[in-house]
């Protein structure tokens, strides 16, 4: 319902399942491992654990995040498009993300400003 309301207001909702950190995880390789609650942890916390196995310095407030990941941004875009396509084909969104919509929009703004 929230997505429909956002779209009717002219906004473009961008979702990640189970959490934003899944997009960051895709910088380090492709995965569609589903995230569930287990061991007293939420799906998001379990995804965060996998991310920290790949990127031990990750923290939600990491100031250097953009600088740390910019060199592998295109890898993550490729991986997330594959994950989202698979999610659309199977109708199972956990895990997937639509962050590429925002990233590509921001990249287009940057291109316009350089022109």
């Amino acid at each position: 319902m929230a997505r429909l309301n956002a779209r009717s207001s002219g906004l473009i909702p961008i979702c990640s399942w189970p959490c934003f950190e899944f997009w960051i995880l895709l910088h380090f390789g492709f995965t569609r491992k589903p995230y569930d609650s287990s061991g007293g942890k939420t799906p998001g916390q379990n995804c965060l654990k996998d991310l920290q196995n790949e990127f031990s310095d990750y923290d939600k407030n990491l100031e250097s995040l953009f600088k740390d990941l910019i060199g592998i941004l295109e890898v993550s875009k490729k991986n997330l498009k594959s994950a989202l396509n698979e999610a659309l084909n199977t109708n199972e969104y956990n895990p997937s993300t639509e962050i590429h919509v925002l990233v590509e929009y921001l990249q287009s703004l940057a291109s316009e400003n350089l022109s």
Side-chain angles (χ1 to χ4, degrees):
M1 185 63 146
R3 287 177 64 114
L4 186 58
N5 287 341
R7 286 193 185 281
S8 67
S9 298
L11 301 174
I12 301 171
I14 296 174
C15 298
S16 284
W17 299 268
C19 58
F20 173 78
E21 280 75 15
F22 179 67
W23 171 63
I24 299 169
L25 181 61
L26 289 174
H27 284 73
F28 302 95
F30 177 80
T31 184
R32 280 273 295 145
K33 171 188 162 185
Y35 289 97
D36 298 312
S37 297
S38 65
K41 295 187 177 183
T42 67
Q45 289 169 325
N46 286 321
C47 181
L48 177 61
K49 181 182 175 206
D50 283 355
L51 171 59
Q52 289 174 328
N53 286 337
E54 296 292 333
F55 184 23
S56 60
D57 291 340
Y58 178 75
D59 180 77
K60 287 186 178 277
N61 298 316
L62 184 63
E63 289 184 24
S64 64
L65 184 63
F66 178 78
K67 184 181 77 162
D68 293 343
L69 299 178
I70 191 66
I72 51 177
L73 179 62
E74 295 306 314
V75 170
S76 74
K77 284 172 51 181
K78 178 180 175 255
N79 287 335
L80 71 85
K81 286 179 183 180
S82 295
L84 185 57
N85 285 337
E86 204 172 291
L88 292 168
N89 289 334
T90 62
N91 204 31
E92 174 54 60
Y93 289 85
N94 178 13
S96 61
T97 182
E98 299 170 337
I99 295 291
H100 68 286
V101 174
L102 176 61
V103 170
E104 289 171 354
Y105 173 73
L106 294 172
Q107 287 176 317
S108 73
L109 291 177
S111 289
E112 288 175 15
N113 286 334
L114 293 175
S115 301

